[in-house]
Amino acid sequence: MNGTGALGRYGEELAARLLTEAGMTVLARNWRYGRVGEIDIVAHDGDALVICEVKTRRPGPFGQPLAAITPTKSDRLKHLAECWLQQQGGAPPGGVRIDVVAVLVPRRGAPLVEHVRGVA
């Protein structure tokens, strides 16, 4: 697997599978809103809307995937969630939650996938 694009797509595929296996319904992947940014995965978890950021890394100098969720990134995800809701006609009864799926892909062996709910 070469390049960050392929690694990122691989991580998003693992994340979508994990969320689906956890009983969520994936509504959209790589949803873009103009120049504001992109939501990796939008899903329903029961009656809640989940905005999910996927962070995929290999072990190395960039550290753990969850460390990439900075306050700035968190604010952007909240803004993107508002944009999604405006386009879709408002919030569902269960509200909105922002989750992160962190994927650590070692050089050998199975990837480690961690789902963290309600990070922002």
Side-chain angles (χ1 to χ4, degrees):
M1 191 175 336
N2 292 338
T4 57
L7 184 66
R9 285 189 299 277
Y10 175 68
E12 287 177 13
E13 194 60 43
L14 290 175
R17 193 177 319 152
L18 175 83
L19 297 177
T20 301
E21 289 172 358
M24 295 187 195
T25 302
V26 174
L27 303 173
R29 290 177 60 177
N30 304 116
W31 181 80
R32 289 201 64 75
Y33 190 78
R35 294 182 181 191
V36 177
E38 179 181 276
I39 299 172
D40 293 330
I41 299 174
V42 181
H44 269 149
D45 184 8
D47 63 354
L49 182 73
V50 177
I51 303 299
C52 186
E53 176 73 6
V54 180
K55 288 296 176 189
T56 307
R57 298 277 188 273
R58 289 197 181 277
F62 294 108
Q64 293 299 314
L66 289 174
I69 305 301
T70 62
T72 300
K73 182 66 175 180
S74 177
D75 288 344
R76 183 176 302 122
L77 289 170
K78 289 176 188 173
H79 181 65
L80 283 164
E82 291 169 9
C83 295
W84 170 272
L85 292 173
Q86 284 175 356
Q87 280 198 351
Q88 303 300 316
V96 179
R97 187 177 79 225
I98 297 177
D99 291 3
V100 173
V101 173
V103 181
L104 191 62
V105 181
R107 297 280 173 213
R108 295 174 172 225
L112 303 169
V113 185
E114 179 182 6
H115 178 199
V116 182
R117 297 168 183 257
V119 298

